């Protein structure tokens, strides 16, 4: 998925993540084909859902909800004290809110190119 930096970036990340037992990866298939994915990272008694995505042609169908509910159930069985998500924007935050996640704080972040050209613009 291009949102994750493409194949090369994810392959490199998976090399590290698959060796670390704190990560559990989930894949939802539709008609036998990969559709949605997410990852649960657990540290001590807390978990964080990461790398949540649905392939473009299947977006907007609520499929990621099946993955999120599954992870929520597993977090309960693991007796995690907290299960966190870090939405990248308001649209994604609204998606999580449909699945019983509540916003407790909004972090303000910036980027070196926030007021200037984007990385793509610099390369052009």
């Amino acid at each position: 998925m291009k949102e994750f930096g493409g194949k090369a970036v994810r392959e490199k990340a998976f090399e590290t993540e698959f060796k670390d037992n704190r990560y559990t990866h989930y894949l939802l298939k539709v008609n036998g084909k990969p559709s949605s994915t997410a990852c649960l990272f657990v540290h001590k008694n807390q978990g964080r859902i990461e790398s949540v995505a649905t392939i473009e042609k299947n977006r907007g169908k609520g499929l990621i909800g099946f993955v999120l509910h599954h992870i929520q159930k597993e977090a309960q069985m693991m007796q995690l004290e907290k299960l966190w998500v870090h939405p990248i924007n308001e649209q994604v935050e609204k998606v999580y809110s449909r699945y019983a996640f509540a916003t407790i704080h909004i972090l303000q972040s910036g980027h070196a190119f926030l007021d200037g050209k984007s990385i793509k613009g610099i390369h052009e």
Side-chain angles (χ1 to χ4, degrees):
M1 292 185 162
K2 63 184 177 189
E3 294 85 354
F4 292 153
K7 182 178 178 180
V9 170
R10 285 313 304 155
E11 283 179 348
K12 188 172 182 175
F14 281 144
E15 287 177 20
T16 303
E17 292 172 7
F18 281 133
K19 292 177 186 173
D20 190 329
N21 65 1
R22 297 175 296 171
Y23 288 91
T24 303
H25 294 270
Y26 301 87
L27 177 67
L28 175 71
K29 292 182 177 183
V30 175
N31 298 322
K33 296 182 180 179
S35 177
S36 299
T37 185
C39 175
L40 174 62
F41 174 77
V42 175
H43 180 70
K44 297 183 182 180
N45 63 346
Q46 300 203 22
R48 182 177 65 235
I49 298 175
E50 303 178 346
S51 303
V52 177
T54 298
I55 61 171
E56 200 166 346
K57 72 177 184 175
N58 289 341
R59 292 181 187 162
K61 299 177 182 178
L63 296 174
I64 200 63
F66 293 108
V67 180
L68 293 174
H69 280 147
H70 183 78
I71 293 172
Q72 288 169 322
K73 287 179 185 177
E74 289 207 357
Q76 287 176 334
M77 289 189 316
M78 296 168 72
Q79 298 181 336
L80 296 180
E81 183 180 310
K82 300 281 184 188
L83 181 60
W84 301 94
V85 293
H86 295 261
I88 60 171
N89 58 39
E90 288 181 23
Q91 181 181 353
V92 174
E93 180 182 6
K94 288 178 185 178
V95 170
Y96 286 123
S97 71
R98 290 184 214 138
Y99 303 103
F101 287 96
T103 301
I104 60 168
H105 189 72
I106 296 175
L107 296 173
Q108 184 67 34
S109 63
H111 188 277
F113 299 103
L114 194 60
D115 290 328
K117 292 182 176 182
S118 67
I119 297 294
K120 184 177 178 182
I122 290 170
H123 286 273
E124 293 173 344

